[in-house]
Structure formats: structure tokens, C-alpha cells
Amino acid sequence: MRTAPTILHLDMDAFFAQAEQASKPSLRGKAVVVGGLGPRGVVATASYEARVFGVHSAMPMAQARRLAPNAAYLVPRFGFYRSISEQVMELLRALSPLVEPLSLDEAFVDLEAGGAAWDESSARLAGARLRADIRAVTGLTGSVGLAASKMLAKIASEQAKPDGLVLIEPGTERALLGPLPVRTLPGVGPATGDHLRRAGIHTVDELAEAGEAELVRLLGKAHGQALHAMALAHDERPVVAEREAKSVSVEDTYDVDIHDRLRVGLEVQRLADRCVQRLRGSGLSGRTIVLKVRRYDFSTLTRSETLRGPTDDPAVVREAAARLLDSVDTTGGVRLLGVGVSGLADYTQEDLFAQAAGAGAQDTGEEPAGPSAPAAAPQDTAPVERHWPAGHDVTHAEHGHGWVQGSGVGRVTVRFETPGSKPGRVRTFRVDDPALQPADPLPLVRRGVADPAAEPPAVPSSAAACSAAAPFAGGGEAGGRD
């Protein structure tokens, strides 16, 4: 059993919101909420300033707007976040070959395996250097936890938030864990937590005192034994360098239920193509096609079909998804659709093309036409109005780089500023203004360029952020804590 605190857990602070604040000088120190902005959207991340008002991840966006009506509400820029994440993960891999990413903004590192740390003082030094390197490379902050196990390192990073470092000294683990709620432990979700609460078990100390036999009786052998060991601060899980993806999927939630069966079919085909793009981007193929349908009454159905071998052919995936849709009753409307591929492999079986209808046709990569595809639009049809998502980057022929503050009734409002500038001016244009075009995000940290007028993409100070975040420890990206 490891005794030195050489397991590191990094968690970037309110990652999506912090990245938006760093790239938009006018939003620094302000409440920022990132997520789906439609009527059914949910919060992906809230800045610490927004959490003061009670906004947190996974909250319905409509509720967030009621709690913080003056916050900035932005559509996620996942490509931008992924590029920052790659920079952070590269810094982690420089410390050790054993890096276990959990999400874009979170990872475990075995410092001992890379020779970066072997005792308390060297681990603390490695953690401090990592935090400094992350700020230098990305302009952002991350919180670091150091301990002798993954469970304790994650608890330590949570205590370090925001922008801090906590090391759990050997011999203090039981005292630290004892008063914490049982939900702190890995594997204790809402259902298990409620089950334990009904049994009179609220804290980790009470979990340990209950004994292994009682926990096995309450939760089953595997779960009960694992939780009892963790309550005693025993966690032998190793840091695993490669976490193989089990599936690749995409899904969309619709602001208004889709009732038209043809439209549902076209949406499924579009999602199938997006799924294949993601599959190919990862260099993978898969055998099992999965369709997910959430109906108007929130009932969720999944259907799957397993092929003879793995494929990354969009025609094959489209055809399989269409067959699966045929077995689903969409009467009453559909609010969510998803297409996924599982049974992943890193090769394809070429003869699977025969499973697709019209196997002799060449795939063009374009959106598939439905069975009743409309004729080509006449030349004098008005062009489709361009869409300008809030928070996304644009460039103007005269005013330069900026980002969309909002759009509607034929107008789009843009604030012109860059990560290294002062807060910029706001201007409004027609949505079809030819001088205004979508743009790629700018890097948060410019290297080798001297700009005396530039300001660093600073985030709120640790002290200020701590006071704002204290009541809401444990909030985070959808599906996790940040």
C-alpha cells in the first residue's frame, strides 16, 4: 500500500466559464453561465460569481436565468475547450507516463511512476510547479489535490478549490474522512446515499462504524466491501494511463417536440453522420448501432442492432439507425434523439458496405436526402438567415475580432475585444452583413509577441473566488465537479 502522497488530482476551476472569462475581458469578474440556451437547455458550467446566486451545473437554464438574470449566458465552444485541455494534458504527461484523464478538465497523475515525486515535499513542489505551468501556458487556474490514493487526492482537490493546492499528509486520512458526508466517497450516488441515510448512516465515520457485514447486507457484497474499505481510507485503485472508449455517440434535445415522422427520420440520419465523423476522428469503428429516443412524456427508449463486424461507413450507420427508428412509436412527439456506436475497434470490415441500401453508390459526406426529399430550391428563394450563437467568435472587416453578445429580429450584437485587450466596444449589425464572418477562437496566451497595451487573461483572485464559491462546493461540469 502506497504511503507517500504522490497521487495527484487536477481539476480545472469552473473550466468552461473560466475559459470564456479569460477570452473575453469584459466578462472577467462577472457571472457567466455556459450551456444550452434553448427552453430545455441545462447549465454546463457556472462561474464562481454565478454560483453566488445559486446557479450550478445540470440546472435547467430557465431556472438559472431566474436566479441570475444579469449573468452572461453563452453557448459552449467545445473545440476551444478541447484545445486548452490538450495543452493541460501535455503538461501532465510531462510529469508521468501514468495520466488518467477523466474529462476535458480533470485527471489523475501518478507522480512516483514518472520520478516527479517520491515523498511529501517533492509532491508539494511538483503540484505547485504544475499549477504555475498551467497558468503560464493557458492563462487559466486549476486546483491540485495530493494524497496516497485516488480517492483522497480527489477529495483534496475539491478542498483546494478554487486555484489552490491541498496535500493530505500520511496518517491524517481517517481524521479527514470521518466527518465528511457519505456522498463524498466514489460510488455513492443519490440512490445509494438515500439508502444509507434511511439506515441512519450519514457520515464516513458512521459508514466505518457500521462494519463490513452490515454494509454487505445493505448494499451487496461487492459494493458493501468496497465502501467499507474506502471509509477506512483504503483505496488501491491504480492510475490507469489509457481509458478505452466504450462507445461514441451524439444526441440533440429539441426546443419544440418534433411530431413530423419525416423530420424525425431526417434528424436521425443527420445524427448518424455526426456520429460517424466523431468515430472516424478517433480512428475507430464499431459493430453495434444504438438509437436513443426520448418522447414527449419523458419516456426514453433505446434500440440497438449488432452488425457482422465493425464499420465506420456512414451509409451503414444511417441504414441501421433508420431500421431501428422503424421499431419506435413517435406518436405524440419527440424531444431528444441520439445515435451511438459501441463495440469499438480500430479497424473496419470492408464487406459491410453491402448492408447499406444502394451499396453501389458513393458516399459524398453530405446530408442524406430523405425518402421524400424536396426538389432543389428555385434561384430566387431568399437565403437562409445566418445563425450567430451567443459567445462564439466573429471577425469584422473593419472592427476586427469579437464575440457575439446576442442576436434576434435580424440583428446581431458584437463586442470587439481579444484575450489580451481591454474590454471592447459593442456594435450591432444586420445578421446578413457580409463584413461579419464567423472566426476561430484566439489563443488565451500569446507567445513571443510584445504588446504593452495588452492585459493578461486574468481570472478572479483566489480570495475573492473562495468567498464566492464556499456555499456551493461540489458544483461542476455536467456530470462532474469543477
Side-chain angles (χ1 to χ4, degrees), residues 91-151:
L91 292 174
L92 298 182
R93 293 186 180 101
L95 290 174
S96 173
L98 292 184
V99 176
E100 183 177 340
L102 304 178
S103 62
L104 289 177
D105 64 328
E106 185 180 3
F108 287 110
V109 183
D110 188 331
L111 297 175
E112 188 175 0
W118 51 91
D119 59 10
E120 182 180 335
S121 60
S122 58
R124 192 182 296 275
L125 181 61
R129 286 177 175 169
L130 173 64
R131 293 178 59 239
D133 289 345
I134 289 173
R135 182 182 278 279
V137 171
T138 70
L140 305 183
T141 66
S143 296
V144 166
L146 292 156
S149 69
K150 291 167 68 172
M151 174 187 69

Side-chain angles (χ1 to χ4, degrees), residues 419-439:
S421 74
K422 295 180 179 179
R425 300 186 65 181
V426 175
R427 296 183 182 276
T428 299
F429 308 90
R430 299 192 321 271
V431 294
D432 59 352
D433 189 328
L436 188 68
Q437 297 294 329

Side-chain angles (χ1 to χ4, degrees), residues 235-307:
D235 179 17
E236 299 297 328
R237 294 175 301 159
V239 175
V240 181
E242 297 295 332
R243 294 166 57 91
E244 293 187 5
K246 295 182 179 179
S247 65
V248 173
S249 63
V250 296
E251 62 182 43
D252 277 343
T253 300
Y254 304 99
D255 293 342
V256 178
D257 290 348
I258 302 176
H259 293 83
D260 179 49
R261 182 74 179 189
L262 175 59
R263 166 83 188 284
V264 173
L266 292 174
E267 286 294 314
V268 167
Q269 292 183 20
R270 182 179 62 82
L271 289 167
D273 281 354
R274 282 175 52 198
C275 183
V276 169
Q277 288 176 3
R278 184 171 295 182
L279 195 69
R280 287 179 166 179
S282 301
L284 298 170
S285 61
R287 295 188 61 207
T288 301
I289 315 303
V290 181
L291 175 70
K292 177 179 178 181
V293 179
R294 181 165 297 150
R295 299 187 291 191
Y296 70 98
D297 58 357
F298 286 89
S299 61
T300 302
L301 303 175
T302 57
R303 299 287 186 270
S304 64
E305 176 181 318
T306 298
L307 308 175

